[in-house]
Amino acid sequence: MTVRPIVLLGDPRLRLKGLPVDSFGKFLHGLLDDMTETMRDAPGVGLAAPQVGEALQACVIEVESHLYELINPRIVRTTGDDRDLEGCLSLPGYYAYVTRREKVWVAAQNRFGKKIKISGSGLLGRALQHELDHLDGKLFIDYLDSMDELIPVSSGDDDDEGDEAGTREAAKVLA
C-alpha cells in the first residue's frame, strides 16, 4: 500500500467524471488499498478515486472503524434534509455548512464486483453523498452561495484549545 498525493482544488482532475469500473482485478484492488492508506494518513473519513488522480467510479469511506469500498455507486433513495459542517481533503484548511439529504440508500459493487447495498445517516450518510459527488466532478463548495461561507481552520495560535480541537475535527470530516 502506498500513500498517494491528494489532488487539490484548482487541479482539473477534480472536476472529471469518474468512468465506470468494469475490471475488478489487481489494479482496482491496489487502487482501493492505496486510497484507504491515503485517507487514513490524511486523516479523513472518505476518499474518491479522482482525488488521487484516477477518473474512476470508486471511493472508500471509513466510519466507526467500518471500511466501505464502493465501486460504481449510485444513490437510489433519499429522505429528509440535514445541515452540518463539511470539509474536504482536496481543500485543506477550510470547512463550511452544507445541506445534504438526511439519509441515503446506495447501490454499488464491492472490490470483487458483487452487488452491495448500504444505507446511512449522520456522518456516514454525509460521507456517502460527499464521495459520490466527487465521482461526478462535484465539490462541497459547489453547494455554497459564496466562497465567503468557507470557514478557515484555526492555525493553532488561539488560546482556546477546545475550539481549535473542534475545528480540526470538523474540518477533517470528509475527503
Side-chain angles (χ1 to χ4, degrees):
M1 292 189 289
T2 303
V3 172
R4 295 188 182 200
I6 295 174
V7 175
L8 300 177
L9 182 65
D11 188 315
R13 293 176 294 174
L14 275 182
R15 296 299 188 169
L16 296 175
K17 290 188 181 222
L19 300 172
V21 173
D22 57 8
S23 178
F24 294 84
K26 186 176 181 179
F27 174 80
L28 177 65
H29 295 192
L31 174 63
L32 290 169
D33 292 343
D34 288 355
M35 288 169 54
T36 298
E37 188 74 12
T38 302
M39 171 190 68
R40 288 174 175 164
D41 182 69
V45 171
L47 192 68
Q51 290 181 278
V52 292
E54 298 289 344
L56 293 172
Q57 291 280 317
C59 64
V60 295
I61 297 170
E62 191 167 41
V63 174
E64 296 179 1
S65 300
H66 189 280
L67 179 65
Y68 302 90
E69 296 176 326
L70 304 172
I71 313 305
N72 301 321
R74 68 186 196 290
I75 294 173
V76 295
R77 183 175 165 215
T78 66
T79 61
D81 286 319
D82 178 50
R83 184 167 174 82
D84 208 345
L85 289 170
E86 231 173 270
C88 182
L89 295 176
S90 292
L91 184 61
Y94 295 92
Y95 64 103
Y97 283 95
V98 176
T99 300
R100 293 206 182 257
R101 300 308 304 222
E102 183 177 27
K103 185 169 184 178
V104 295
W105 287 261
V106 173
Q109 292 170 281
N110 68 13
R111 68 168 47 217
F112 303 106
K114 181 182 174 193
K115 291 182 180 180
I116 58 173
K117 293 179 182 177
I118 178 176
S119 64
S121 59
L123 180 56
L124 178 57
R126 184 165 291 276
L128 287 164
Q129 293 170 81
H130 182 104
E131 299 313 326
L132 270 64
D133 273 354
H134 273 299
L135 302 181
D136 284 330
K138 190 168 185 176
L139 305 175
F140 85 104
I141 58 173
D142 297 339
Y143 291 95
L144 306 179
D145 291 330
S146 163
M147 293 296 271
D148 292 338
E149 294 178 54
L150 285 173
I151 304 166
V153 176
S154 172
S155 64
D157 295 334
D158 299 337
D159 292 331
D160 192 344
E161 296 280 330
D163 282 352
E164 176 188 327
T167 300
R168 266 199 219 117
E169 189 63 28
K172 73 174 190 177
V173 167
L174 305 169

